[in-house]
Amino acid sequence: MKAARDNNNFRLQYDLPNSWSQKYNLVYQSILSLNLFSSDVAKLESDYYQTKLADFGVPLDSRGTLTKADWTSWIAAISRDQQQQNTLISKLYRFANESPDRVPLSDFYDSTNGHVLGFRARPVMGALFARVLLENPMIEKRRSQSKYISKRYI
């Protein structure tokens, strides 16, 4: 954790200070009730993404402006802040509603202008339901009954 940390975020890779990336796989910590990372990691990253917003979403990382709708859905789901979730989801809505490329919903596009980069109507768009999955009562029940899950990470 120390090697990956910059001031307000975690790096794209250890040896690249002042870099960042979407930590979209953190969503699986919640879905699978894992204790791999402190909840502070998701909070730090979620707060940082708000500083990187473009017109149609958050870029994948510090290397450019490309983004993925599925990744954005997952990073919205890891935030415990409803305002942050709504902001990210509103960017996805704006892309779907205003993209100049009128094609079936794409998951890969430019976050600054909404232009689609080739992918269309792929199954990864199921990620749009990540928040619903995390709010599933069966998952909450499993979390509350597990002797392996630390309550401080839920």
Side-chain angles (χ1 to χ4, degrees):
M1 298 300 294
K2 288 180 184 177
R5 178 84 186 256
D6 269 344
N7 291 330
N8 300 318
N9 66 292
F10 289 91
R11 297 174 182 176
L12 172 65
Q13 67 187 48
Y14 295 120
D15 62 342
L16 289 178
N18 303 313
S19 65
W20 62 276
S21 66
Q22 288 188 26
K23 309 302 187 293
Y24 63 93
N25 281 330
L26 279 174
V27 74
Y28 293 103
Q29 173 157 302
S30 296
I31 292 170
L32 300 174
S33 302
L34 303 172
N35 290 331
L36 302 174
F37 300 98
S38 161
S39 59
D40 295 341
V41 171
K43 176 159 180 19
L44 183 76
E45 288 295 301
S46 293
D47 291 347
Y48 191 72
Y49 300 144
Q50 299 299 305
T51 71
K52 298 300 176 185
L53 292 170
D55 289 341
F56 296 94
V58 177
L60 297 174
D61 56 47
S62 53
R63 297 175 295 181
T65 60
L66 305 182
T67 195
K68 290 190 78 312
D70 50 332
W71 290 22
T72 301
S73 295
W74 292 330
I75 66 169
I78 67 169
S79 177
R80 297 288 185 203
D81 182 307
Q82 189 67 47
Q83 178 75 24
Q84 288 179 352
Q85 289 177 16
N86 291 345
T87 298
L88 291 170
I89 297 303
S90 71
K91 296 294 185 176
L92 290 175
Y93 179 83
R94 182 173 184 195
F95 162 68
N97 197 41
E98 298 179 18
S99 170
D101 303 318
R102 305 316 302 165
V103 298
L105 191 56
S106 175
D107 58 292
F108 192 45
Y109 61 95
D110 190 300
S111 66
T112 61
N113 60 27
H115 279 290
V116 171
L117 298 168
F119 297 159
R120 288 167 174 77
R122 295 184 336 138
V124 299
M125 293 309 289
L128 293 173
F129 299 100
R131 191 71 219 164
V132 174
L133 178 62
L134 288 172
E135 294 172 357
N136 182 321
M138 295 304 292
I139 289 177
E140 292 300 323
K141 181 178 178 182
R142 186 186 71 190
R143 285 182 186 145
S144 67
Q145 293 175 343
S146 176
K147 64 182 179 181
Y148 301 106
I149 302 169
S150 170
K151 300 304 181 224
R152 69 186 178 127
Y153 293 118
I154 297 177

